[in-house]
Amino acid sequence: MDVQKIISEMTLQEKIAFCTGADFWCTKAIPEHGVPEMMMSDGPHGLRCQKGEADMVGVNQSLPATCFPPAVTAGATWDEELYAKEGEAIGKEGLSQGVSLILGPGCNIKRNPLGGRNFEYLSEDPYFAGKMAPSFIRGQQSTGASSSLKHFAVNSQEYKRFNGDSQLDERTLREIYLTGFEIAVKEGKPNTVMCAYNKINGVHCSDNKELLTDILRKEWGFDGMVVTDWGAMNDRIEGFRAGCDLNMPGGSKFMERAAKEAAAKHEIAVVVAGLPDAYESEALDRENMMLPKGHNRMIEAVSSVNDNTVVLLLGGSAMEIPWEEKVKAILYMGLPGQAGGEAAYNLLTGKAVPPGKLTETWPLSYQDVASRETFEKKNVEYREGIYVGYRYYDKADKEVRYPFGYGLSYTTFAYSDMKIQEQQVSVTIKNTGAIAGAEVVQLYIAPPEEGIFRPKKELKGFARVELQPGEAKTVCFTLDERSFAIWNQGWRIPEGDYVVMIGSSSRNLLLTQTVKVSGENIEAPAWQKGSWYEKAKGLPGREEWEKLMGHAVPVTEEPKKGHFTLDNTCMEMKDSSVVMKIQYKVTENIIAKSYGGKKDMSNPSYRMTLICAVDCPLRAAVINSGGTMNDSLAKGLLQMANGHYLKGIAAMLGK
């Protein structure tokens, strides 16, 4: 297919039309130019291919598919080769079902243990996430299927993900939230990147030229397609200018039919569906990080009468486990997929040896989390800056339940003979136990203590080593300039003495050597002395955070009647608008019909469907409704929500 010839023959109207999906999962075909449609599907841990009526929450039937372990488990293997095989298997399965673009892997940072998508993100550490993601991409794209690296960028919570604003300083953006994507793009070369719903410092990702063109394309060399998350387009013209190529509509036939039913009854309602592919669990049903009070009481009761209690723990993120010392052992498997039962049996009986390591820190309680007061806000202030995960707990000298990189085995390992020669670091690992096993060797670098604030150490290398009893192997790591660099108006290396540390977790470092690194004298900012960012004690205050940002950050007021915009949602407007209250009630009733007429907020599927429908911005509703809501209707409803009923009617009539 001569792509350039086809492009030259297409009209401007055809090109514009081609940049919006034909339906929920497919691009537009242009048969007169020989261009077929392209079908997409979730996801990073198994297909969710819907050939009939489509939606994002599983209301309608999907084709049978293999359920692979999501990133919380796949990442914990620290096995790049194995993760590549998972990507390859999903790619082959996708092609067998007519899917040529598979939406994944996810490379966002686990900023907070309550993140609704933590189960499908790889880590709290950007280097680790960046090194694992390319393996999945290469494996998947080796089959001929394409990957879509997501969600670009700073998408670390589900609450208000359609119109939330992630507010953070440039250094934190670069060192923590973009580094994983940068490595994945440069080393994995995904064919597509998916832009996120949220804003970054006030600019929607879909409209963000600095993000999509200046950084992604010009700086990192990405030459593929940028596709929106479903319904994430804010402004189509600004999106074109920013470098956002394909706008995928989030509406489904299920929602279109519901909307038409409401219209036929002359009800003031258009059901909109900007449905994300994860539960909006964060603000809806959580009290804390603990297991349900009943999966806790049971453990307490059993362990009180049986000293040999072993807990098989499943879950997508860190949890509070106050009963830890009362049980003999804990086997944490994340979410192991459809073969998890057999895997658990083999691990518990000793037929297999646990090889995994945690890719996120487990704090003692949620009260120890640095982002606990700024999480689950519409406008999220990333006050903790670069201190995410172990970077924070180490800097604050906080005790944790389990450190980053932690994991036990049925055998033991010895570390010896560490050597550093120029950019090469080597170490010998020996299996000193009686059975075969795998060890994950981790390399961290501690920066000079003086100068600009930095974490106490950061992961800069890892390797998984399979060893027979008594066997020893030498593991080698290569360091580069980025191993020592920080973002300071570009990547720069502060000169000084750096400590290279090797061990089995972030808090079990067995071998160390100091190296002198030449670089620049980067002075600490004047405000740093005595600030939270020097010692990370307590929680960061807003005033100090504004100094980190380099400017005052206005506090965003809650939306008020008379000032609502197309970026506001039915849920945000219903308490002060009769029109939106009616809209909410009608939507609630229509969605309840698909759940036996029950408005049951304890049903996670119903709850998610409802919240996603009523908490979708009006500007996204125009895209998501599949043509049921046009610009005039949206603007008319907005005028009415603001109390201008006559103007609203006029807008609906196109006047």
Side-chain angles (χ1 to χ4, degrees):
M1 180 181 292
D2 189 337
V3 175
Q4 292 303 319
K5 182 174 184 294
I6 292 173
I7 292 174
S8 68
E9 293 173 349
M10 291 173 67
T11 66
L12 178 60
Q13 289 76 11
E14 286 175 326
K15 291 175 183 177
I16 292 173
F18 187 63
C19 291
T20 296
D23 57 30
F24 200 84
W25 290 120
C26 297
T27 60
K28 287 184 173 73
I30 311 180
E32 57 269 34
H33 295 292
V35 179
E37 72 173 18
M38 177 176 66
M39 186 174 186
M40 311 174 199
S41 171
D42 287 328
H45 45 270
L47 294 178
R48 189 156 60 77
C49 181
Q50 295 172 313
K51 290 296 180 76
E53 294 190 1
D55 67 272
M56 291 295 282
V57 292
V59 173
N60 298 301
Q61 193 65 36
S62 300
L63 296 178
T66 307
C67 178
F68 290 87
V72 64
T73 298
T77 65
W78 297 61
D79 191 331
E80 296 169 81
E81 183 179 343
L82 182 61
Y83 201 35
K85 289 180 179 178
E86 180 175 337
E88 180 183 3
I90 294 173
K92 288 179 178 177
E93 191 167 329
L95 293 175
S96 74
Q97 296 187 3
V99 176
S100 53
L101 175 57
I102 299 165
L103 309 178
C107 207
N108 292 97
I109 295 300
K110 299 185 182 189
R111 173 183 181 242
N112 185 288
L114 300 179
R117 300 181 85 110
N118 278 1
F119 73 98
E120 70 169 61
Y121 291 154
L122 285 160
S123 182
E124 68 187 22
D125 183 82
Y127 176 85
F128 177 83
K131 284 296 186 180
M132 288 293 288
S135 302
F136 185 95
I137 294 166
R138 287 192 294 265
Q140 191 162 84
Q141 293 191 163
S142 71
T143 67
S146 293
S147 298
S148 190
L149 183 67
K150 64 182 188 181
H151 303 87
F152 191 58
V154 203
N155 182 192
S156 296
Q157 69 176 41
E158 295 304 287
Y159 180 66
K160 295 293 182 183
R161 72 192 304 244
F162 290 107
N163 57 0
D165 189 4
S166 298
Q167 302 173 342
L168 72 171
D169 64 286
E170 183 75 9
R171 183 180 171 196
T172 298
L173 175 67
R174 289 289 193 151
E175 292 187 22
I176 303 297
Y177 294 96
L178 292 188
T179 289
F181 284 101
E182 179 183 0
I183 298 171
V185 165
K186 289 180 175 179
E187 297 186 6
K189 301 189 183 305
N191 290 334
T192 78
V193 168
M194 181 191 292
C195 74
Y197 289 108
N198 54 277
K199 305 170 190 174
I200 300 176
N201 293 330
V203 182
H204 282 276
C205 288
S206 65
D207 300 354
N208 198 320
K209 182 178 181 294
E210 180 184 12
L211 184 72
L212 303 183
T213 295
D214 298 343
I215 295 175
L216 178 62
R217 289 191 165 93
K218 292 181 180 179
E219 188 177 319
W220 297 351
F222 176 70
D223 61 359
M225 176 181 73
V226 172
V227 57
T228 66
D229 204 339
W230 269 228
M233 180 62 71
N234 176 54
D235 183 302
R236 178 66 273 194
I237 301 303
E238 289 303 313
F240 276 133
R241 290 172 177 157
C244 187
D245 303 305
L246 179 60
N247 172 33
M248 288 305 293
S252 68
K253 292 180 180 178
F254 165 75
M255 287 300 183
E256 290 175 41
R257 185 175 68 243
K260 289 173 182 175
E261 287 177 7
K265 296 177 182 177
H266 307 288
E267 295 166 329
I268 304 175
V270 176
V271 180
V272 293
L275 304 181
D277 46 353
Y279 290 113
E280 298 246 355
S281 59
E282 298 153 355
L284 296 171
D285 62 0
R286 70 93 172 158
E287 292 179 359
N288 48 37
M289 288 163 45
M290 296 182 70
L291 297 170
K293 293 179 181 178
H295 187 37
N296 277 322
R297 289 174 184 163
M298 179 183 69
I299 294 172
E300 297 268 4
V302 173
S303 62
S304 67
V305 295
N306 188 337
D307 292 336
N308 287 318
T309 299
V310 174
V311 175
L312 174 61
L313 190 59
L314 305 178
S317 190
M319 293 172 259
E320 291 182 359
I321 49 173
W323 37 261
E324 177 203 30
E325 295 182 0
K326 298 179 181 179
V327 300
K328 193 81 169 184
I330 301 170
L331 176 60
Y332 175 63
M333 297 187 67
L335 300 171
Q338 69 184 49
E342 182 179 357
Y345 172 81
N346 289 338
L347 289 166
L348 289 170
T349 59
K351 291 185 177 181
V353 177
K357 302 273 188 173
L358 294 176
T359 64
E360 58 188 312
T361 307
W362 283 42
L364 292 173
S365 76
Y366 189 63
Q367 290 303 306
D368 293 328
V369 177
S371 60
R372 67 180 184 271
E373 290 187 356
T374 57
F375 188 68
E376 293 177 350
K377 310 291 184 183
K378 180 176 180 180
N379 299 296
V380 189
E381 299 175 354
Y382 283 61
R383 294 186 196 171
E384 70 281 1
I386 60 173
Y387 297 127
V388 178
Y390 70 87
R391 289 168 169 79
Y392 165 68
Y393 298 109
D394 287 352
K395 192 74 173 183
D397 293 321
K398 273 191 176 292
E399 183 182 355
V400 298
R401 180 78 64 186
Y402 304 118
F404 176 84
Y406 175 83
L408 298 178
S409 175
Y410 293 154
T411 188
T412 54
F413 302 93
Y415 288 64
S416 64
D417 199 25
M418 178 181 177
K419 295 177 181 176
I420 301 179
Q421 295 179 332
E422 296 182 347
Q423 293 180 303
Q424 301 299 312
V425 181
S426 63
V427 64
T428 299
I429 311 299
K430 183 177 181 180
N431 184 342
T432 55
I435 56 176
E439 173 68 325
V440 176
V441 185
Q442 302 162 45
L443 181 149
Y444 297 82
I445 291 182
E449 293 185 6
E450 65 279 359
I452 194 166
F453 69 93
R454 301 180 73 172
K456 283 194 171 181
K457 58 180 173 289
E458 297 180 281
L459 181 75
K460 296 298 179 181
F462 64 89
R464 177 181 163 123
V465 191
E466 305 276 350
L467 294 168
Q468 295 296 318
E471 183 182 12
K473 289 183 180 178
T474 298
V475 179
C476 295
F477 301 97
T478 300
L479 303 179
D480 57 23
E481 290 185 352
R482 285 289 291 274
S483 301
F484 306 96
I486 64 169
W487 181 265
N488 189 310
Q489 298 178 333
W491 291 107
R492 301 166 65 187
I493 300 176
E495 65 180 4
D497 291 339
Y498 290 76
V499 182
V500 181
M501 304 178 286
I502 291 179
S504 62
S505 80
S506 64
R507 292 199 173 178
N508 186 36
L509 298 167
L510 305 168
L511 301 171
T512 65
Q513 283 193 33
T514 300
V515 295
K516 185 174 289 294
V517 177
S518 59
E520 304 177 54
N521 179 22
I522 302 177
E523 294 185 2
W527 57 263
Q528 176 180 312
K529 186 172 179 59
S531 72
W532 182 85
Y533 299 96
E534 266 197 337
K535 301 293 183 182
K537 300 299 183 184
L539 292 178
R542 198 171 197 279
E543 184 177 342
E544 286 187 313
W545 173 65
E546 287 185 318
K547 291 178 181 177
L548 175 67
M549 293 286 285
H551 56 81
V553 182
V555 176
T556 306
E557 296 183 0
E558 290 296 316
K560 295 179 181 179
K561 187 173 184 177
H563 300 279
F564 294 136
T565 70
L566 290 173
D567 204 38
N568 291 121
T569 73
C570 173
M571 176 170 278
E572 292 172 336
M573 296 184 279
K574 69 179 178 63
D575 290 338
S576 58
S577 166
V578 174
V579 170
M580 287 300 163
K581 187 171 290 186
I582 295 172
Q583 165 93 355
Y584 181 91
K585 290 295 183 184
V586 173
T587 303
E588 188 179 42
N589 289 332
I590 291 171
I591 290 176
K593 289 180 181 178
S594 297
Y595 294 90
K598 296 180 179 179
K599 301 175 185 178
D600 182 8
M601 290 297 280
S602 66
N603 180 336
S605 294
Y606 168 79
R607 181 178 66 243
M608 180 173 67
T609 306
L610 175 64
I611 295 298
C612 292
V614 298
D615 211 21
C616 175
L618 284 179
R619 50 100 184 152
V622 175
I623 299 172
N624 297 343
S625 65
T628 307
M629 177 182 279
N630 57 28
D631 283 323
S632 297
L633 181 54
K635 290 175 181 177
L637 286 173
L638 178 62
Q639 289 282 11
M640 290 182 175
N642 279 320
H644 309 306
Y645 290 94
L646 292 179
K647 289 182 179 179
I649 293 171
M652 288 181 181
L653 295 175
K655 296 182 179 180

